[in-house]
Amino acid sequence: MRDTRPIGVFDSGLGGLTAVRRLTEAMPCEDIIYFGDTGRVPYGNRSNETILKYARQDMKFLLGFDIKAVVVACGTVSATALGCLEAETPLPVIGVVKPAAKKASEITKTGRVGLIGTQASIRSGAYERELRAINRDILVTARACPLLVPLVEAGRLSPEDEVVRLLLAEYLAPLLDAGVDTIIMGCTHYPLLADAISAVAGNGARLVDPGAEAARETSLLFGNHPERECRGGHLRFFVSDNVEGFAQNAEIFLERAVAEHAELVDMDVIAT
Ligand code: DGL
């Protein structure tokens, strides 16, 4: 029998929707409760202590529902705080770093892997550690990209957008100079820029989507359980600010109605 409790998913903002989209594809019967901390995004330029504090509050909010697992659909939290969250939570907690590193190690042919992420993710060295645990010979060229999350949150995603192109050209230059054949988009916001990243990186490099890999990991954990009577999972969205703006962007990205399923959360109340 399938455990019908929802899966909780959280991120600092929109980025975790990249995991939600893949979860709905891989596990179409599952109910999902999503929390995006839009009032405090970005997390990636904050200290590890602050990221852990926010992540604990995000977990506390989700654990207020009768859920069966939490997907930490945030590279920054996964890279800096996953161990603490796992130790404190009586449910499976699935992060994005390990599944993304595993995928990159499987698809790289040259062993030269590029990594882009937030400042906190790159500073943590978490992706490198996971990659080296799988294959010591993998050479990682990493670059923090602090301006990409605000761009995505502002809905600036197009490969034709000059600001997007210029920024990506600067951020990806060291990776391309190093001849990487695989790029881990180490922040879950970045797959929203996948077309723009591909346009700048050219056809040579394959992109790894961490949310997609975490979704795959989650579906392996719970199985897909196709049910004849499956009505399609129910999605609920909670954000800590600007419900309308979030819903607008989320509708474009998920290609489904979000506004009537989106609610505001007061994180000051959760924090007490
Ligand atoms: N999606 C988050 C991540 O994967 C963005 C972090 C941020 O808010 O800076 O890292």
Side-chain angles (χ1 to χ4, degrees):
M1 269 293 277
R2 184 170 79 88
D3 179 344
T4 55
R5 290 176 298 168
I7 296 171
V9 180
F10 79 88
D11 179 43
S12 58
L14 276 172
L17 296 178
T18 56
V20 169
R21 184 157 86 178
R22 297 309 185 105
L23 278 172
T24 60
E25 289 164 8
M27 306 170 81
C29 298
E30 297 292 336
D31 294 340
I32 294 172
I33 298 177
Y34 184 81
F35 175 65
D37 198 0
T38 51
R40 303 190 294 198
V41 68
Y43 283 9
N45 53 9
R46 299 181 194 272
S47 67
N48 286 3
E49 292 72 27
T50 300
I51 295 166
L52 178 59
K53 182 171 91 179
Y54 289 175
R56 280 181 166 141
Q57 292 165 0
D58 303 342
M59 291 289 283
K60 184 178 170 197
F61 171 71
L62 286 175
L63 292 169
F65 298 88
D66 184 19
I67 55 175
K68 66 177 172 226
V70 179
V71 177
V72 179
C74 176
T76 303
V77 174
S78 299
T80 59
L82 195 73
C84 289
L85 301 180
E86 280 174 334
E88 293 166 3
T89 312
L91 296 174
V93 177
I94 301 114
V96 298
V97 172
K98 208 173 184 158
K102 183 165 173 287
K103 179 71 175 182
S105 73
E106 285 164 6
I107 64 175
T108 180
K109 293 202 170 68
T110 61
R112 290 173 190 268
V113 172
L115 168 68
I116 51 176
T118 65
Q119 284 164 313
S121 293
I122 301 302
R123 186 179 65 218
S124 76
Y127 284 97
E128 283 96 328
R129 270 196 302 282
E130 292 297 342
L131 281 163
R132 296 230 172 84
I134 301 167
N135 179 350
R136 290 181 60 83
D137 296 330
I138 287 179
L139 207 68
V140 182
T141 306
R143 180 73 154 96
C145 309
L147 297 176
L148 294 187
V149 169
L151 257 194
V152 171
E153 289 289 324
R156 301 278 295 266
L157 310 175
S158 165
E160 272 86 54
D161 185 319
E162 191 126 350
V163 176
V164 171
R165 254 208 336 255
L166 276 174
L167 260 184
L168 284 174
E170 181 182 320
Y171 284 148
L172 295 178
L175 282 67
L176 301 176
D177 287 348
V180 302
D181 74 343
T182 303
I183 296 176
I184 301 178
M185 298 182 286
C187 163
T188 53
H189 279 69
Y190 299 172
L192 289 147
L193 291 165
D195 289 345
I197 293 172
S198 291
V200 173
N203 294 331
R206 289 183 64 185
L207 305 182
V208 175
D209 174 338
E213 299 312 317
R216 192 195 318 277
E217 180 103 342
T218 309
S219 68
L220 288 176
L221 191 63
F222 292 107
N224 184 5
H225 298 289
E227 292 168 27
R228 246 169 312 166
E229 73 278 17
C230 173
R231 58 186 157 70
H234 182 66
L235 270 54
R236 290 180 74 184
F237 301 89
F238 295 88
V239 291
S240 52
D241 198 10
N242 192 9
V243 184
E244 254 174 51
F246 171 84
Q248 248 170 33
N249 285 330
E251 283 184 2
I252 296 169
F253 179 66
L254 293 177
E255 294 169 352
R256 63 159 80 200
V258 169
E260 65 260 41
H261 309 290
E263 294 167 53
L264 186 68
V265 181
D266 184 346
M267 289 313 277
D268 288 345
V269 174
I270 305 296
T272 53

